[in-house]
Amino acid sequence: MACSCNNKPSSLVPAELQQELSDPNHPANLICELCRLFYDLNWVTGTGGGISIRDVEGPNPNLVYIAPSGVQKERIQPWEMFVVDLPDTIVRTPNECPKELTKSYKYKPSACTPLFVSCYTLRDAGACIHTHSQNAVMITILLEHEKEFVINHVEQIKALPRLEYNESTKKVEKVGSMENYEKLVIPIIENTPHEEDLTETLEEAIRNYPGTSAVLVRRHGIYVWGETIWKAKVYNEALDYLLELAVKMKLAGISTVRE
Amino acid sequence: MACSCNNKPSSLVPAELQQELSDPNHPANLICELCRLFYDLNWVTGTGGGISIRDVEGPNPNLVYIAPSGVQKERIQPWEMFVVDLPDTIVRTPNECPKELTKSYKYKPSACTPLFVSCYTLRDAGACIHTHSQNAVMITILLEHEKEFVINHVEQIKALPRLEYNESTKKVEKVGSMENYEKLVIPIIENTPHEEDLTETLEEAIRNYPGTSAVLVRRHGIYVWGETIWKAKVYNEALDYLLELAVKMKLAGISTVRE
Amino acid sequence: MACSCNNKPSSLVPAELQQELSDPNHPANLICELCRLFYDLNWVTGTGGGISIRDVEGPNPNLVYIAPSGVQKERIQPWEMFVVDLPDTIVRTPNECPKELTKSYKYKPSACTPLFVSCYTLRDAGACIHTHSQNAVMITILLEHEKEFVINHVEQIKALPRLEYNESTKKVEKVGSMENYEKLVIPIIENTPHEEDLTETLEEAIRNYPGTSAVLVRRHGIYVWGETIWKAKVYNEALDYLLELAVKMKLAGISTVRE
Amino acid sequence: MACSCNNKPSSLVPAELQQELSDPNHPANLICELCRLFYDLNWVTGTGGGISIRDVEGPNPNLVYIAPSGVQKERIQPWEMFVVDLPDTIVRTPNECPKELTKSYKYKPSACTPLFVSCYTLRDAGACIHTHSQNAVMITILLEHEKEFVINHVEQIKALPRLEYNESTKKVEKVGSMENYEKLVIPIIENTPHEEDLTETLEEAIRNYPGTSAVLVRRHGIYVWGETIWKAKVYNEALDYLLELAVKMKLAGISTVRE
C-alpha cells in the first residue's frame, strides 16, 4: 500500500523523474502538499476526496496530474500520480515505478478522473478539488429536497469569481468577483453508486449553471475548480466557510437568503 | 512515569533493540506515530484508548505489539511496548528496559489486551485500534436503547470493507468494499467496570456481525480492526467521519437511515 | 499569484530589504507569522481578512505595514507588504520587487487600508487586525436587529482594556483593564458592498464608543486594534473567545447579559 | 512585553540559569512546552489561565515555578518564571533578568499564585493547572443554579484518581482510580472580581470535597491539580473531555447522571 513507502529514500525514483520533481511547485508536489493540508481539515480522511492539477504553466498545458484512488491522501508521494494527456490518454502511471517503491501495490486511477476531465474540458479549469467536507455533506442533508444551495449577504461571497458565458468565444469566462450581497447559487446533484456515473449530471449542472465554480453532490461532498490550483484552493476555502456558516444558520432556524 | 523519559537519548536502549527500531515502519514506531496523530484528534487524550499492531510482514506474524496501559499515548516511546506471541505469551515487556529509561516505572499491559487478541484470533486482523472518540461515545448516548448503529446513503461508507463468511475456509473474508447506499451496521455492546470483562460480549458481537469491522462500546468508545495497520486506520477514520455526521443528523432530528 | 513565489530563494529580494527583514520582529515578518496562525484559526481563509502593523518602535512610527489584497494570507512573504506613511503616502509597494519574485502579479493595497488608517489616526493604534471569524459573523446574524454586542460576567472580559476619553489630551487612553462583571459593549455596523465604504460608519462607531477596542461588521467580520501588535492579538483572541461563548449561549437560549 | 523577546538569543540569560535550564524536563521548560499545547487547545488564549509546577524531584521540593501574569502563555520563555519557596517566599523573579531580555517589561506574579499555593499546601500537589476552557465555562453557565457538576457512567472517569482522607496522616491520599460507573463530583464556586479573592472559597471547596482533583469557577474556568505535572495534565485532559461531553449531553436534553 502506498503509505508504507512513506519513508523510502527517493533515490529509488528514476533519475529523470527525480529531476522533474525537484521543483517544489511541480503539480505532483503541490498535490502532496495540499492533500496533507486537506487531511488536517477533515476533507479527505479515510482515503476520501481527490485532487488534480493541470500543468497550465508547463510545456504541455494539457497534462493533468491526478492522485490515485483508494490511498491515504495525506501520505501520497509525488511519484504516485497518474498523468493524463487531455482528453483521456494516460501517459504515466505509478505502476511503472520500481517494485521496491510500490511493494507491488496496484494503483488505480481516481474514480473522479472523468469528473475532473469534465471540469477541464467544459471550463478550461487549471485544477479541480473534490472533498468529502462534512459541511458540504451536511448542507445537502439539511436541504434534502432542494436542488440548489443559495446564500447571500455574507462578505466571504466576494472571494468567489463572477463568471459569464461569452457568446463570441463560446466559453464561460471570469469577468470579476461576486458582490457580497449577491446570491451565490451552487447546484446539488444526486449521488450515484459509482463515482464515474456522476459525470453526466455533473456536466449538466456545469452547463446549466454557467455562474458556478462548484457542484455539490448529495450525501457525498463537493467538486470545486479554478483557473489555477491556488484559485481552486481559495474558492474551495471560501465555499467551505460559507457552507459551515450555512449549516449553523439552518440549525438556528435562520434562512441563508436575506431578501 | 513514561513520558518523563521523553527526552532521554535512545542510546540507553539495548543495541539490539536500537537496531530493530531503526526501521521507521517497525510496528513499535508506527504505534508511536499514530498515537501522536490520534491524540491531536482527541481520540486518546487522558491516557485513554489503545493501539496494537500484529507484525504481519515480519518473520513471526503472530507477534503483536501493544502500547502499555495508563500512559500518555502521545508520549510513548517505541521501546515501551509489550510484545505478545499469539495467543497469549508475553515475550517482551518495557519493564526489562534499563532503569535509567523507566525511572522504575512499573508498566502494565493494556487492559485492552484480551480484546485486541479477540480481533486477531477471530478475524485474522493485522491491527486493532481502540479510541475514546467523542463521536463514538455520543452516538451510543443518543442511541441509549439501541443495540446497533445504522447509517446508509453516505459516500464515505464506501471506505469500509465488504466482509463475508466463507463456508469453506470457515473465516470472515474481505470480498470488496461497501456500496454507499448500503446499510452500515455497527453493534453496540454495554460497558463494564473492567475493560477485560468486555471480552465475552465483544467476541459475541464479532461473531454475530460477520460484516462488521468495528464494535461500539456504550459510553466508552470504539474498537476497529483491519487487515493491516493502515487499513485499520482508514476504517477508523471513515467510521469516525460517519459517527460525527450521524451525531449531527440525530441532533438535527434527521434519521441516519434513508428508506 | 503571490503564493507561487513561496519557495523562491530570498536572494532575489534587494540586498537592502533583505538586511531590513533579517530581524524576526520586523513588522513585515510578524504579519507573515500571525497570518499563518490566523489561517489555522479559520480567521483569514479564502484570502479573507487583513492585518497591519505600525512600526511604533522604529525610526518612523508613522510607517504602517499592510498585507496586500486578495492573496492567500498564510502564504504571504515579508517583501509583499505595502508600506504607508500616515496618513496616506504609499512609500513602498511589492510591485517594485523583481519580476522573478512576483511573476508580474499586480499587487493591490488591501481594501481595508482606509479602515486601518482610521484606527491609527483616531486611536493612536499600534496595530489593527481584521478577521472573518465565524464567531464574529454568526453573532451579528443572531443579533440581526441589534446595533451592539453586549456580554458581562465572564472572566475573559478582564483581558480587554479599560479606555477613557481624556479631556486634556483630547485622546482615548488606556487606564487599566475591564472588570469581569462589567458589560463589554462592541458596536455592530452594517456591511457595504465595498470595504472602503465602511470607513465612515466605522469612524462613527469608534467616536461613539470611546470604550471599545473593536467594531463588528454584520455578516462580514471584526476589526480589532491595540497599542501594539501583541496587544491587538491578545484583544482579538479574548474577543473571539467571548464571541464563541456568546454564540453558544444564544443558541442555548441564555442571555449574554446577566443582570 | 515578554513575547517580543521571543527570538532573543538565550546567551543573554545568566550562565548559571542557562545551565539549569539545559534539562528539557526542568519545571520552567515543561511550563513553556505545556503552555504552547494548552494554547492550541484554546485553554489559555488571550493571556488567560496559568500553570505552576512544584519541583518534586529537585533538591528543594518546596520550590514552585509559576508563569507570570498577563503575558501570552504560548510565548513565555523558561527564564520568565516566578519561583516561590512554599509557603510564600519569592526566591526569583524574571525582573532580575538583563534588560536586553525584558525590554524593561515589569513582570507581575500570576494572580493565581495564592490559589496554586492552596493546592500545594492543602493537597501536597506536585503541579496545578488553571485554564479558561470553554467547556468548563459553558457547563457552569448551563448549571447556573447548581453548586456541583456531576457525571457518571462514562469510561473516561477512570482516568481520575480515587482520593480518600487518611485519618492517621491527616492527609487526602490517592488510593486508586475511580470506577467508570461512579459519580464524579466537581464543586463549582462563584467567581469574584479579583482572582486572589477566590482563595477562601477554593480552599473551602477543597476541604469539603476530599475526593475532588479540581474546582470549577463559574463563568471563569477550572483549577486542576495532581501529584506531578503529568498527572495534573492527564486529569485536566480527562476532565475537559468529560466537560465537553457533558455540555453536548445537556444541550441534547440528556442528564449527565444515569441512575
Side-chain angles (χ1 to χ4, degrees), chain D residues 126-223:
Chain D
C128 191
I129 294 167
H130 169 49
T131 81
H132 286 188
S133 157
Q134 291 246 338
N135 298 319
V137 172
M138 196 62 196
I139 201 72
T140 67
I141 288 172
L142 291 171
L143 299 171
E144 191 83 5
H145 303 293
E146 308 289 329
K147 298 294 186 191
E148 295 174 346
F149 162 67
V150 188
I151 193 167
N152 68 357
H153 285 291
V154 180
E155 182 69 9
Q156 197 76 357
I157 291 170
K158 288 165 81 168
L160 278 307
R162 174 185 303 284
L163 302 173
E164 272 177 19
Y165 182 75
N166 183 326
E167 282 290 348
S168 60
T169 63
K170 308 287 183 203
K171 284 185 175 179
V172 168
E173 291 171 0
K174 181 175 174 182
V175 295
S177 298
M178 289 192 69
E179 304 286 352
N180 54 21
Y181 53 80
E182 286 184 297
K183 280 187 190 167
L184 174 76
V185 181
I186 308 290
I188 304 172
I189 63 175
E190 302 305 315
N191 203 17
T192 53
H194 302 292
E195 193 128 13
E196 50 270 34
D197 295 339
L198 287 170
T199 313
E200 198 173 331
T201 47
L202 182 95
E203 293 197 350
E204 194 182 311
I206 292 176
R207 284 203 191 86
N208 288 348
Y209 292 82
T212 195
S213 299
V215 174
L216 284 159
V217 186
R218 191 168 331 269
R219 293 169 170 266
H220 179 153
I222 192 167
Y223 277 84

Side-chain angles (χ1 to χ4, degrees), chain C residues 1 35 84 97 112 148 168 172 187-188 213 227:
Chain C
M1 148 131 230
C35 277
V84 172
C97 268
C112 311
E148 295 174 346
S168 60
V172 168
I188 304 172
S213 298
E227 311 94 281

